Amino acid sequence: MKTILTGIRANSELTLGNYLGALLPMVRLANKHSNEMNVNIFVPDLHSIIAEIDGDLQKNILRTIKYYLAAGLELNENVHIYRQSYVPAHSELCWILNCVALMGEASRMTQFKEKSEGRDSCNVGIFDYPVLMAADILLYSAEYVPIGEDQFQHIELTRNLATRFNNKYGEVFVVPVKTAEQVKFMGISDGVRIRDLLNPEKKMSKSTLAENSKIMLDDDPAKAGKKIMSATTDSLAKVKFDMFNQPGISNLLQIEALVTDTPLQDVIMTWAGETRYGELKKKVAEDVTRMLTDFQARLSRIRDESIYELFEDGEEYANHVASAKLLEVQKAVGLR
Ligand code: ATP
Ligand code: MG
C-alpha cells in the first residue's frame, strides 16, 4: 500500500489562509485516499524547536491534531497520527543522511538562505531541517508528500538523498515522486493563496503584525466578520475576479468560494458586475463568521484524551515501520 505523508508545524495559531490553503485541501485528500493508502499525519515537533514557539508547545501539538479533526478528517485503520519526537528513528536517520548530504546542496535551500541571511546567530537546525524532513519521508517510504510551493525544493533534496544513498549502499529507499507529480496528485494546479486583508498584494501570513490583515482560527467569529468588512478593496466599483488589478475583491471571492465550498467560477458568476462592494463584503463576512463558529464548536467538542489515544496507536505503528526501515539502513551502511 502506498503512503501519503503530511505534517504542519505547531508553532503558533493558524490563519484562515493556512486553513483554506493547506489544512483543508490536505484533509480532503486524506479522506479521498485513506481507503487505499496509508495516510501518515505527524506533528513535526523536532522541527518546531528550530524557531520560536508562540505559547505552550504541548498545547499547540494537541491543537494541531484537533484542527485536522475539526476540518473533517475521517479516521480509519489506514490513518496514522503521531508525534515526530516519539519516533526516535527520525533523529537517527537524520544523522545518517547528514553523512550523505552535501554542504553545497543544503546551503542552496531557499528557506535556509532566507532565514539565515545576514544572521550569525542562525541555529544549525535551520540549516539541517531539510535533511530531517527527508528522514521523515523516507522512513515511511512515502511517495506522496502534499506540500506548498515553498517546500518543493525540500522534496527534490529528499529525492536526491534517497537516490544517492541507494546508488552507494543498495536499493533501500523508495524515492518520492517528483514535485510536478506531487502537484498533480494534490489536484491543486491553481494553488490557493489567500491575500492579506489590508494589503491584498501580499499573501496572508501569520507573522504579519497588523491584526486586521489576517483572520486567525481562534478569532472571535464576529470580530473576523468585521475584519472582512474593513478589507481593502479598490475604487473601480465593479466586482470582477482579477488578482492583478483587483486583488482585494478577488481575494473576497476566493474566500467566499472556499468557506462555502462552492466552485470559484460559480461565485464569480453570481457577483459579476455588482457595483456595491458592501453587499459582497456583507455576504463574505456572514459566511466567514458562520464557518468559524461551526469550526470552533467542533473544535471545542474534541477532548485532549481522544488525541492522546490517537497518538498511542499512531506512534506504535510509526515506531514499527520506522525502526524496520532504520535497521535496513543501518545494515546497508555497515552499522549492523
Ligand atoms: P509565516 O508568516 O510564519 O511564514 P505562514 O502563514 O506563511 O506563516 P507557513 O507556516 O509558512 O504559514 O505555511 C504553512 C502552510 O500554509 C504551507 O503549506 C503554506 O503553503 C500554507 N499557506 C501559508 N499562507 C497561506 C495563504 N495565505 N494562503 C494559502 N495557503 C497558505
Ligand atoms: Mg510562510
Side-chain angles (χ1 to χ4, degrees):
M1 203 153 67
K2 296 194 172 189
T3 297
I4 311 177
L5 178 132
T6 185
I8 265 194
R9 277 205 313 180
N11 286 46
S12 61
E13 180 61 74
L14 300 182
T15 67
L16 186 69
N18 301 139
Y19 179 78
L20 298 175
L23 197 70
L24 202 55
M26 180 54 221
V27 164
R28 297 208 167 124
L29 198 67
N31 290 347
K32 184 171 159 198
H33 292 288
S34 66
N35 56 340
E36 13 95 35
M37 287 189 193
N38 283 309
V39 177
N40 290 17
I41 296 179
F42 77 111
V43 187
D45 51 358
L46 294 172
H47 287 288
S48 280
I49 60 173
I50 67 173
E52 285 307 311
I53 292 158
D54 190 1
D56 179 76
L57 181 57
Q58 287 300 316
K59 279 205 193 103
N60 291 356
I61 288 169
L62 289 176
R63 185 180 59 192
T64 302
I65 297 303
K66 288 180 183 178
Y67 279 167
Y68 281 99
L69 297 173
L73 177 72
E74 291 159 14
L75 299 172
N76 68 29
E77 71 281 2
N78 295 335
V79 179
H80 312 289
I81 294 176
Y82 55 93
R83 292 162 289 189
Q84 183 186 34
S85 75
Y86 279 71
V87 187
H90 290 246
S91 313
E92 289 281 326
L93 181 59
C94 177
W95 178 257
I96 296 173
L97 292 176
N98 274 337
C99 302
V100 175
L102 306 174
M103 288 295 291
E105 64 190 343
S107 313
R108 277 195 295 277
M109 295 294 117
T110 312
Q111 295 262 315
F112 165 68
K113 284 201 279 191
E114 280 175 9
K115 296 208 161 104
S116 63
E117 201 127 61
R119 285 199 290 148
D120 282 342
S121 56
C122 169
N123 68 56
V124 176
I126 292 179
F127 176 69
D128 201 31
Y129 100 88
V131 180
L132 178 58
M133 184 169 159
D136 299 337
I137 297 167
L138 298 176
L139 279 174
Y140 302 91
S141 307
E143 282 177 83
Y144 298 108
V145 189
I147 27 109
E149 215 178 317
D150 50 340
Q151 297 288 327
F152 284 178
Q153 233 189 349
H154 298 159
I155 294 299
E156 290 307 323
L157 177 72
T158 303
R159 287 169 47 81
N160 290 340
L161 294 181
T163 307
R164 196 176 308 144
F165 185 98
N166 286 350
N167 287 342
K168 183 163 182 196
Y169 296 111
E171 290 293 314
V172 172
F173 292 125
V174 172
V175 181
V177 305
K178 291 196 177 117
T179 45
E181 275 176 70
Q182 300 280 357
V183 171
K184 215 192 279 167
F185 178 74
M186 289 185 273
I188 47 156
S189 47
D190 48 347
V192 169
R193 273 273 168 274
I194 302 301
R195 305 301 182 99
D196 181 299
L197 295 177
L198 296 182
N199 300 299
E201 296 78 24
K202 297 192 311 176
K203 77 166 194 72
M204 187 183 287
S205 288
K206 52 175 129 59
S207 53
T208 305
L209 291 176
E211 269 292 306
N212 287 338
S213 279
K214 56 190 183 181
I215 290 176
M216 306 305 296
L217 292 182
D218 68 347
D219 269 357
D220 168 48
K223 196 176 101 191
K226 291 209 180 88
K227 290 182 184 178
I228 296 283
M229 293 305 293
S230 64
T232 301
T233 52
D234 54 64
S235 53
L236 297 174
K238 192 168 183 193
V239 175
K240 191 174 165 214
F241 189 83
D242 178 351
M243 271 298 178
F244 190 72
N245 294 307
Q246 298 184 256
I249 285 296
S250 306
N251 191 39
L252 293 179
L253 292 168
Q254 174 80 85
I255 292 174
E256 174 68 6
L258 291 166
V259 299
T260 59
D261 198 10
T262 312
L264 179 60
Q265 272 315 317
D266 294 3
V267 175
I268 293 172
M269 291 288 281
T270 304
W271 291 92
E274 171 68 59
T275 52
R276 293 158 304 171
Y277 289 170
E279 293 299 307
L280 172 65
K281 281 185 168 179
K282 218 169 93 193
K283 175 72 166 54
V284 180
E286 270 169 28
D287 289 331
V288 166
T289 303
R290 181 172 333 112
M291 187 229 101
L292 271 188
T293 306
D294 293 349
F295 179 78
Q296 291 172 6
R298 285 196 298 276
L299 202 63
S300 69
R301 286 196 292 270
I302 306 171
R303 293 172 309 112
D304 290 358
E305 297 76 58
S306 62
I307 304 298
Y308 286 120
E309 281 164 23
L310 293 174
F311 283 150
E312 200 174 316
D313 288 348
E315 283 154 15
E316 190 186 324
Y317 167 86
N319 271 301
H320 180 74
V321 174
S323 50
K325 182 54 79 180
L326 179 64
L327 182 61
E328 253 185 87
V329 172
Q330 289 167 326
K331 282 182 177 161
V333 174
L335 292 163
R336 293 289 182 279

